[in-house]
Every structure is written in C-alpha cells, then in structure tokens.
Amino acid sequence: MSKTTAINDCISIEMSGDIALICIDNPPVNATGQAVRQGLQDAVEKLNAEGNARVIAIYAAGRTFVAGADIREFGKPFVPPALPDVFNVIEASSVPVISVLHGTALGGGLELGLSTHARIGIEDLRVGLPEILLGLLPGAGGTQRMPRLAGIPFALEMILSGRQVPAKEALEAGIIDRLEAGEPRDIALKAAKDVLDGTLQTRRTDQIAVTPDQGALDQTAAHLQKTQGHLFSPHKCVEAVAASTEPLVAGLKIERALFMECMDTPQRAGLIHAFFGERAVSNIPEAKGPAREIAHVGVIGGGTMGSGIATACLLAGLKVTLIEVAQDGLDRGVATITSNLDGAVKRGKLKTDKRDAVQAMLTPSLDMQSLADVDLVIEAVFEDMGVKKDIFGKLDKICKAGAILASNTSYLDVDEIAASTTRPQDVIGLHFFSPAHVMRLLEIVVADKTAPDVVASGFALAKKLGKVGVRAGVCDGFIGNRILAHYSKTAAYLVLDGATPQQVDNALEGFGFAMGPHKVGDLAGLDIGWMTRKRKAATRDPNERYAGAVADRICEEGWFGRKSGKGYYVYDSRDISPNLAVDTFIAEERDKAGVTPRSFTDQDIVDRYMTAMISEAARVVEDGTAKRPLDVDMVFLFGYGFPRHRGGPLHYADTIGAEALVARIKTYAKEDATYWQVPALLEKMAASGTSFADMNKEA
Ligand code: 3HC
C-alpha cells in the first residue's frame, strides 16, 4: 500500500515502503515556477528529516519532464528559493535521489536531473540546455555539472548550440545512466528498487572531477569572437564552463553572477519576446475555430515558389498535385522538388528511407482538371492580376465544393481575385516566403468575404507545415512587403546622400541582420525591383523622391546581382567585392539631383533605417493590416531575417520609446517631409506614454 502526501499544488510524495516517489505536476510543461522550487526543496528536506525513505525518485506527470525554469517569471520580482539552491539541497541529500526523465528535459529541467545521483531516460527523451536561445546561460548548475558528466568539449557544444540531444546520444555521453521503456512512475519505482538492491549505482555529480581542456575553451572563445561578436550570452557561456574546473561551490557562484548579467540584457528580453510571440501569433480566436480537412493540395506553378510550396506540403505528409502549362516547365518543377527533397535528406529533415515514399505523393499534371478532388489549391504563378483572375475563374468551375482556393500573391488584392469566383468565401491569400520549404513565415491574408473556417484552415495548415502563420489584412504587400517597400527606400536615400552601399550593409550587419539590404538585393535579383518600379512608374507620387535611380542604372547594364555575377557587388566564385562601376553611377545620380554628399555614422544609418521600418509598421498596426504589434515582429523574425535578439521592429521600437521616435521623424522631415511623416499611432503613444508591449497585452 502506498500513501501520497501533497506538499503543495505542484509537488507530491508517494511512499511505497521505504521508497519515496516525488511527482512534479505543473502543466503544461512542468516549468520550475516558485511552487515547484519550493515544493521540491520542502519534499527532499522533509524526507531527509523524517528518515523513513531509503531512496527518493523524482519524476513528472504529463507529457514531459520539466522543460526548464518558468520563463514567465523572468523580469518580475524574484521569490525564493532560487533554483541552484534547491538543486544543492537535492545533491546534498543523504538519502540517494534519482530522477526519471521523459519527453523534453530542458534547461532547469535537465539541471534538476544533473543534481540527482542517477538519471534514467525514457525512450524518445530529448535533453538540452537551450538557455542560449533565450539570451541566457544554464544558470542552475548546467555549466558546472554537465562538464563533470560529459566533458568540457561536449558541454560547450551542447550549451552553445542549445540543441536537443536524443536519448541514445545522451546515454553515450554519460548524461543519463540508463534508458528504459514505460511510464515515468513505474520506471521511477523500478529504478528505486534497483538502487536498493545495488543494481543501479548512484553518485554525486559534484564529486566528479572535470578534465581541464583549455584548448577547447580558447578555440571556442576565438571562434565565437569571430562569428557571434554582437551577441552577449554565448561568450558568458564559455566563461561559465571555464569555471567548471573549480570546486563546485566556487563554480556555481561564477555561473550565477554570469547568469544574472545575461538576465539584465535587452538581448534576453528580445529573445524571450520572440519565444512567446511565436506561440502568441496563432493564439487568436480566428485560428482556433473549426477548420476544413486538408489532405490533398494542388499547386499551380512549378517555378521556385510553387516547387518550394509543393516540397513543404510533401514534407508535411500531404498529397500534392503540381500543375504547369507546358511539359518543360512541369519537368523543371519536378526536378526542383526532387532536389529540394534531396537537400532535406542531407539536412536531416527527411529520413533516407522515407524519401521515395514522400516523392511518390507528388503527381505532376498539365491538366487543371486534375484539381477536381483537391482540398486546397495554392496558385503560385507570376504576379499578374489578369492571369490570376483567369486561373481562379477556372478553379471555380473545376474544384469540388468546399475546396479552399488560395493565392500565393505577395501584394495583389485578394478581394479582387476572390471576386473572379462565385465562391469568394473559399478564397484566401497564403503568402509563402522563398525558399518556401525552408522559410518559416506564412502570411495568412484574410479577404473581406473569406469564411471563418477557411481562415482557421490557413492556421492549421501553417502548423502542419511547421510554419509560423500570421494573420494579415488585404493591402498592397500585406504586412511584410508593404513595410519593406517603405523602408528599403531609406537605404537608397542614404546612398544618394553620401553613404556607400557597403557602409549601409556593414552598419546593418553590425545591428544584427545576416546581410545588408544591398547584398539581399543582389541575392534576390535586382531585376525584380526594377520591374516593379517600371510597373508603378505611372502611379508614383510626383512629390516623392525617387529611390530607384542607382538600382536602375545597375539593371540597365544587365547586372541583376549574384545570378549575373554583378550587382552592387562583383561575385567571383567565392569572393565578393564592391562593384566599382556603381560608385560612378552614384556620383552621376548625385550630380543630377544636385546633392552634395555628406557623411553618416553607422549609428545614423541604423537609426534612419529602423525608424523608417518602425513608421510603416506602426501604420500597418494602426489600420488593422496587422492585428497586434507582435504580429509584425513575427513577420520580420521569420520572413525577413530580422535579428532575433532584437525581438522584432516594434519590440525594438519600445527600447527607443515613442517620444524619441517622433522627435527623430520630425528631424528627418526637415530634409524630406513627404517621406518622413509621423504615424498617428506613434504620436498618440508618445502623448500617452504607452508602448507597443502595452498594445500586445491589451489585444
Ligand atoms: N516557461 C513557461 N512556459 C513555458 C515554458 C517555460 N520554460 N516552456 C513552454 N512554455 C509554455 C508555452 O509558452 C506554451 O504556452 P501556451 O500554451 O500558453 O502558448 C506551452 O508551455 C506549451 O509550449 P509549446 O507550445 O512550445 O509546446 P511544444 O510541445 O511545442 O514544446 C517545449 C514544448 C519543447 C518544452 C517548448 O515549449 C520549449 O522549448 N520550451 C522552452 C524550453 C526552455 O527554453 N527551457 C529553458 C528555460 S530557461 C532555464 O531553464 C534557466 C535555468 O537554466 C536557470
């Protein structure tokens, strides 16, 4: 007969003879919030004081062992006990303590395991120290105990990558002692009995000596300096691991001090905003309603975009019918999908033995009638309203009732496309980002008449494809491309006014973008923007300063960027150098416009670029194209390479403040009052002293 005592709402002790089973039950992921910390400490102290237990086994209820510290508590007033202190109590327990880990034992969860005297993993377990992804370091003994169990090089790799290590690898590395199959409580009881009969050995991690490895530490520190100089926590992780050769008490003290330094950085706040934002984007009533079933998808267009979308659907286990108008185009599409799938195998995203079965789910066809039975069609042909309307008119006649008709348009009016069918309620925009099988953003563009279950289906599809679905309203460019169209002009103005393209790129790379805007332009193809400028020439605001002068000159030479070997830069196999001819175009265009070049600091460049981005982002929120500031942030993090540690443009805006932003725009407006206008929302926020974070909370 066993007897269970509740220590508090999250922690209970079940006595089975002289075995004590401590159960952690704090849904959804058993995070170590205050009650878990207090309960664990109280339970272990009580068992030691009472002396009835000869072994203690800790396990967790629900889908996972502890997934880490409770991130929601970060930045709020701290309530003791601190996690490292709780783990010290566990490690010092004179009654042996073992832990049974299942699901994902991450961060503070794994650190809890490391402080116990033996660890049993349950099949499918993954362990990790992902604190670095939140701008932190493992701050409850992870940087000290992991090197003791797995060695300094393994600990460094694990902590700096934040990756989830599969159970088998964890066993081989010495992180866990055994791997078993079964329910956590049953395994806990069995393992505790094994401790009693001597078939499972226990030992205190703090008594294991660390093998020093200064070489690994120096090499890692030097590499990080080169590759992640702009980030804070990776360097602190190395410092903390270096302290693991000290006695544990001293090492833990150093780890704690470094952890608190990380906690105080804006990078930590930005990364945690990104963590919760990623989950909050789909946390809206429209995403949660009943959805239509999608098992078979039709994709129209076998170009880069269509093939990428088809690949994403195939990788998610969906049946795909790919439509092209001519055999050569269809063959090219199938070849692209084949090579995408090969790439997925190489990247470990698709198992080799599943590859052929996935490809077999693809049916290429030249006949639109093949779409008669699909649940969803995604049109991905070139951006021409006439062509799209023609296609949707045909789909209206071909597709079964209830099929969802989606356009992958990146800026066209989805209401107008919907009006070319007799079923506008079934029409929606699903805007993927290239390469569509890699990029995680999916803008779900809701038109006037789109039915609620079609919107919910868009979110369900995003989830199925492993993408971050963000709701967007209809306008030219939706959320992302509309904002991009605005702020990319700033880069051109900076060059016309005195900066070089390289200086602009370097300044923004220093801010954290992987590539500056001119390098991105070269990569994407300068001809795309050139065609857009020509198409919009007739409707351009005559008062607006023309931003395309230099880019037009480059394109007129037939230089479209990387694919043609030249653009803003010259590409010579792996080398990239500035295209000196561009300097001449810039000088000539300045002369033509009567501009006397002036100098900009890198900070000026970042300030102007970011202020332009924030201005249009504020307008997008103000007119409802994006429902919340965090939706804009997630669009930029997952679709536009915005530096994750900055949290997104509007999270970053809060670090500057509305009042300062308004003052900046007013200063810039003295040079160009057409381009630099204060968005009404920012003006209002400045007057009321509110932030975008406040708007996120209210929404
Ligand atoms: N704290 C608080 N809430 C958390 C959390 C945490 N550590 N981890 C997850 N959650 C919440 C999520 O926000 C989500 O809430 P919602 O339902 O209200 O949106 C809910 O738990 C479920 O999470 P997911 O939707 O992400 O569920 P999945 O099953 O897809 O993933 C997971 C589960 C793998 C555990 C994933 O949530 C995850 O990676 N969590 C973060 C783990 C982490 O970073 N741990 C380290 C924390 S820092 C730390 O431990 C410091 C220590 O060293 C001192």
Side-chain angles (χ1 to χ4, degrees), residues 27-29 31-32 63-74 83-84 87 104 106-109 111 126 128-131 133-134 136-142 164 255-256 259 263 272 275-276 279-280 283:
V29 295
T32 58
R63 59 171 154 145
T64 182
F65 189 70
V66 176
D70 189 337
I71 308 170
R72 287 165 308 185
E73 288 183 355
F74 292 176
L83 213 43
F87 296 165
T104 42
L106 303 176
E111 291 171 302
R126 280 168 295 142
L129 294 170
E131 285 86 345
L133 307 176
L134 302 173
L136 292 169
L137 55 83
Q164 293 184 7
E255 177 194 78
R256 192 69 190 160
F259 178 79
M263 194 64 119
I272 286 184
F275 177 86
F276 283 120
R279 285 151 181 83
N283 198 1

Side-chain angles (χ1 to χ4, degrees), residues 86 176 190 198 223 370 382 528 536 578 585-586 610 615 684:
V86 178
I176 55 173
K190 177 174 168 294
H223 177 71
S370 319
F382 58 95
I528 301 172
K536 292 190 170 173
F585 301 153
I586 294 170
M610 287 311 305
S615 298
K684 221 166 78 188

